[in-house]
Amino acid sequence: MAALRYAGLDDTDSEDELPPGWEERTTKDGWVYYANHTEEKTQWEHPKTGKRKRVAGDLPYGWEQETDENGQVFFVDHINKRTTYLDPRLAFTVDDNPTKPTTRQRYDGSTTAMEILQGRDFTGKVVVVTGANSGIGFETAKSFALHGAHVILACRNMARASEAVSRILEEWHKAKVEAMTLDLALLRSVQHFAEAFKAKNVPLHVLVCNAATFALPWSLTKDGLETTFQVNHLGHFYLVQLLQDVLCRSAPARVIVVSSESHRFTDINDSLGKLDFSRLSPTKNDYWAMLAYNRSKLCNILFSNELHRRLSPRGVTSNAVHPGNMMYSNIHRSWWVYTLLFTLARPFTKSMEKPAAMLGGYSSIPV
């Protein structure tokens, strides 16, 4: 009690009442945090009880949540024509994790990436996410950036990548996020990206190999390889090899390879059980889009397993992750048949924040 009295925390009668100089606020996704105006700092835990909370339920009728130019969340009451920085739902908060359940109990298929990373501080960590201008990649990059990491969006289309950076900065203007050009369908572009990244002289703590293509008609890259195989697997394989020394110097570090459960429905061996290289980059006559995708995902898993075996003794771990079924993304954009199927299934699919939770979870587990 003497320590509490010295800190000024025994001045109030109620356990949940805040001490002088403290203010209760909420983040955009509903987590409650506490601002100490005297010391100019914030924290997730209540200064007296040590509990973490989040608001429960939707905003009352007529209310809308906005973000000001400084990234601070405020609330607009359209009925009474007023604005406030006080979340009207703060009277209905619930304790976060009061009984400290296990990870298996706490997270499920409805968990988002922001919930997985909630309370974690990635300040000083450098994260690279390929294909981060949309979908799972964008949600993963955003989640890391909003938790303090320096995030690099490695994308082929710089216009879309720059737009994605702006969207993240709209949520938090202090986010450290940037875009760099990476075209996995061109090995020279992979090499240029690695050289440009190394020139920054920064560490690399998390590399998320997320970019992928799906249901493409048969085509060859400028390197003479089938496009699905090169974009989904070989480009990432080459990228990791080029950045391997940086990863090892940054240990503990982690590589996350986004694969798919569809890897089960193919093989890359011939009838004698030996590796058949012609199946990896097939000719036009032997090409089937879905089979090419499945094989590339099988290569992802084999690569991730071997990478972990070789680099884990040096502090670099690798995980292959299946982001989950029944999710809607724009990966189907290359063929109208799949676009139609995905559109019909849209009402039953997950948002991108939920499969992104898997990437965020594996990326944030202590090495």
Side-chain angles (χ1 to χ4, degrees), residues 71-280:
Q72 177 68 45
V73 174
F74 68 95
F75 301 88
V76 181
D77 180 357
H78 292 288
I79 296 177
N80 297 307
K81 308 298 182 182
R82 63 190 180 98
T83 62
T84 176
Y85 283 87
L86 186 67
D87 192 325
R89 297 169 295 176
L90 281 174
F92 307 99
T93 58
V94 295
D95 288 347
D96 173 43
N97 213 12
T99 58
K100 295 184 178 180
T102 64
T103 300
R104 183 177 294 276
Q105 292 172 323
R106 181 176 179 181
Y107 303 125
D108 56 27
S110 63
T111 303
T112 66
M114 290 297 290
E115 292 171 338
I116 286 284
L117 298 181
Q118 190 270 329
R120 298 178 183 268
D121 185 6
F122 285 88
T123 302
K125 302 296 183 181
V126 180
V127 179
V128 171
V129 184
T130 68
N133 60 279
S134 63
I136 301 174
F138 173 75
E139 293 298 335
T140 301
K142 181 183 75 172
S143 299
F144 276 115
L146 296 184
H147 285 83
H150 175 186
V151 182
I152 295 174
L153 283 63
C155 305
R156 176 179 57 86
N157 188 316
M158 284 305 294
R160 293 180 180 177
S162 298
E163 181 182 346
V165 168
S166 298
R167 287 165 60 192
I168 295 174
L169 291 174
E170 285 176 2
E171 295 209 24
W172 187 36
H173 71 289
K174 293 183 179 180
K176 195 171 184 179
V177 56
E178 61 179 302
M180 292 179 62
T181 302
L182 173 65
D183 185 355
L184 293 165
L186 187 62
L187 295 180
R188 181 173 294 277
S189 174
V190 178
Q191 183 179 8
H192 287 168
F193 173 88
E195 292 171 350
F197 178 84
K198 290 180 178 181
K200 292 178 175 292
N201 293 316
V202 296
L204 177 56
H205 300 101
V206 180
L207 172 57
V208 182
C209 299
N210 162 77
T213 188
F214 174 78
L216 283 180
W218 182 88
S219 65
L220 294 179
T221 66
K222 292 183 178 180
D223 299 300
L225 297 164
E226 190 276 314
T227 303
T228 300
F229 170 66
Q230 179 166 333
V231 171
N232 293 7
H233 170 64
L234 191 61
H236 282 127
F237 175 90
Y238 188 38
L239 177 65
V240 174
Q241 300 309 303
L242 293 174
L243 297 179
Q244 178 177 308
D245 56 337
V246 184
L247 286 163
C248 291
R249 289 198 305 268
S250 308
R254 188 179 299 274
V255 177
I256 304 297
V257 183
V258 181
S259 185
S260 170
E261 193 175 30
S262 66
H263 80 276
R264 302 175 185 275
F265 308 112
T266 187
D267 63 74
I268 52 177
N269 294 331
D270 59 21
S271 57
L272 300 177
K274 296 183 178 181
L275 178 62
D276 185 352
F277 287 98
S278 66
R279 296 190 180 192
L280 300 180

Side-chain angles (χ1 to χ4, degrees), residues 280-314:
L280 300 180
S281 182
T283 63
K284 186 174 183 178
N285 292 335
D286 295 326
Y287 179 78
W288 180 31
M290 193 68 214
L291 198 56
Y293 178 81
N294 294 352
R295 285 172 176 163
S296 70
K297 296 292 107 177
L298 177 57
C299 288
N300 287 162
I301 292 177
L302 295 175
F303 165 58
S304 179
N305 288 346
E306 180 62 17
L307 183 68
H308 182 82
R309 187 187 70 82
R310 295 189 183 192
L311 295 190
S312 57
R314 302 176 63 183

